Amino acid sequence: MLSYRHSYHAGNHADVLKHIVLTFCIESLKEKEKPFLYLDTHSGAGRYLLKSEHAAKTGEYLSGINLIWQQSNIPALLNTYISILKRYNPFEELKYYPGSPLIAKQLLREQDKLNLTELHPTDYPLLRQEFSKDKRTKILREDGFSQLKSKLPPDSRRGIILIDPSYEIKDDYQTIPTALFEAYKRFATGVYLIWYPVVSRSQTQKMIDGIVNLGIKRISQFELAIKPDNNQKGMTASGMIVINPPWKLHEQMHAVMPWLKTTLDTEKTGNYIIKELVSE
Ligand code: SAM
């Protein structure tokens, strides 16, 4: 039984970091005309109403995207990410937050393909609705991890794979390195983005070590903490593991992370990591 709903968390600081990295990677792949596949294993509902009962209950977006939205000095490198937000929020008020499938929907071209999977019985139809007229997109109510075997390699031999589970099922921490290994065997040149939360540092580190020990080359880590590690409940930091990062990604993240930290780490107790975990 899936109880996690992303509508409680949409637009939080973790979404902001995740979607900025995603936007940079998609834009990099678009530098070549050749088509590519965007595979999103855990897609969510697509669009989130920030005035909903769920969002109001946690208020997470208030310390995430809402802080970004209020700034007048947003770095130009974030223009593409901000332009997508503006598409869903044409007026001054920040009403909707677009999740990863809608970000990809806006950025991908006619020649590209999207493959989305979502298991939740309520979120799956919402996601379908967002793409009802989009011929580039396949949406399945299936296990996202299984797509890493069945959909790779893509015909185009180019692709971005976002693996973004909720970690509601603790097995996700163990499943990720195994599933990634299977995917990489099939498609070693794909750009893989694996989102992770830091709730328990040791649990997260074990998963990252598991990825690093797979023998895969070119692995990077981008993490933003808004609190120091602690033993209390709740997420203190989140990050992205990127396999085969596009060549500009480190430079782009070095340019925007200090601003993101200043804007989102309001208590000034956090930190960030930009690191190459495994080189060529
Ligand atoms: N990627 C989305 C975004 O950035 O907007 C957020 C995804 S949310 C963190 C995780 C989603 O995965 C939830 O909507 C949950 O219902 C779904 N889910 C959980 N287990 C799944 C599985 N095995 N396969 C596909 N979806 C799953």
Side-chain angles (χ1 to χ4, degrees):
M1 193 10 216
L2 291 166
S3 58
Y4 179 92
R5 302 290 306 281
H6 198 61
S7 44
Y8 286 98
H9 311 287
N12 65 6
H13 62 85
D15 261 7
V16 171
L17 176 71
K18 180 203 316 174
H19 295 149
I20 287 173
V21 172
L22 174 64
T23 302
F24 283 150
C25 291
I26 292 178
E27 288 302 282
S28 284
L29 260 77
K30 281 165 61 182
E31 284 171 8
K32 287 192 185 145
E33 267 311 300
K34 267 193 79 185
F36 64 89
L37 171 72
Y38 171 70
L39 177 60
D40 192 332
T41 59
H42 296 69
S43 296
R47 180 192 302 243
Y48 302 97
L49 177 63
L50 296 173
K51 299 280 179 291
S52 73
E53 211 183 295
H54 289 185
K57 191 164 175 194
T58 61
E60 287 187 21
Y61 79 97
L62 295 172
S63 50
I65 194 57
N66 205 48
L67 292 175
I68 306 277
W69 192 248
Q70 288 164 355
Q71 303 304 313
S72 53
N73 64 338
I74 302 177
L77 271 174
L78 298 182
N79 282 353
T80 306
Y81 174 61
I82 298 295
S83 73
I84 297 164
L85 289 168
K86 285 193 172 155
R87 253 192 124 105
Y88 291 96
N89 300 282
F91 307 109
E92 220 167 284
E93 186 196 11
L94 181 63
K95 197 170 171 197
Y96 293 108
Y97 188 76
S100 54
L102 292 199
I103 291 174
K105 180 184 181 189
Q106 293 306 329
L107 295 181
L108 265 62
R109 306 157 300 182
E110 224 180 298
Q111 66 265 42
D112 302 320
K113 298 260 182 279
L114 296 87
N115 194 293
L116 313 173
T117 40
E118 172 54 47
L119 271 185
H120 198 282
T122 312
D123 285 343
Y124 170 73
L126 294 174
L127 183 65
R128 279 200 77 93
Q129 225 170 21
E130 293 290 345
F131 286 86
S132 59
K133 294 191 187 82
D134 195 311
K135 292 200 167 60
R136 304 167 301 175
T137 306
K138 270 205 185 101
I139 309 181
L140 300 168
R141 190 176 166 197
E142 282 182 19
D143 173 27
F145 289 119
S146 69
Q147 305 299 299
L148 297 172
K149 277 191 186 172
S150 61
K151 296 295 186 308
L152 298 179
D155 294 338
S156 57
R157 296 294 193 273
R158 300 182 75 219
I160 296 183
I161 298 98
L162 174 64
I163 305 175
D164 181 22
S166 57
Y167 297 86
E168 173 191 9
I169 303 161
K170 293 290 167 250
D171 281 358
D172 284 346
Y173 287 98
Q174 284 98 51
T175 307
I176 285 179
T178 316
L180 204 50
F181 186 67
E182 288 299 325
Y184 192 83
K185 267 199 308 199
R186 289 165 171 78
F187 183 40
T189 54
V191 178
Y192 292 87
L193 313 178
I194 302 105
W195 179 80
Y196 66 85
V198 180
V199 178
S200 148
R201 174 61 70 179
S202 58
Q203 194 169 35
T204 298
Q205 194 53 49
K206 211 168 149 193
M207 181 185 81
I208 295 174
D209 292 345
I211 296 173
V212 166
N213 292 331
L214 290 173
I216 294 174
K217 305 251 180 272
R218 302 194 65 229
I219 308 181
S220 295
Q221 178 182 23
F222 305 95
E223 180 179 304
L224 178 61
I226 44 117
K227 285 187 185 145
D229 290 355
N230 61 45
N231 294 325
Q232 287 148 30
K233 228 177 137 213
M235 177 171 70
T236 55
S238 73
M240 295 286 268
I241 298 295
V242 183
I243 298 176
N244 295 324
W247 67 275
K248 278 189 295 198
L249 188 61
H250 273 256
E251 192 184 310
Q252 290 168 320
M253 291 309 288
H254 272 294
V256 299
M257 270 292 213
W259 184 86
L260 277 179
K261 186 191 172 301
T262 306
T263 308
L264 297 173
D265 176 19
T266 48
E267 290 170 19
K268 312 257 171 286
T269 54
N271 215 330
Y272 66 78
I273 299 171
I274 298 176
K275 196 169 162 186
E276 190 177 60
L277 297 175
V278 185
S279 61
E280 286 288 346

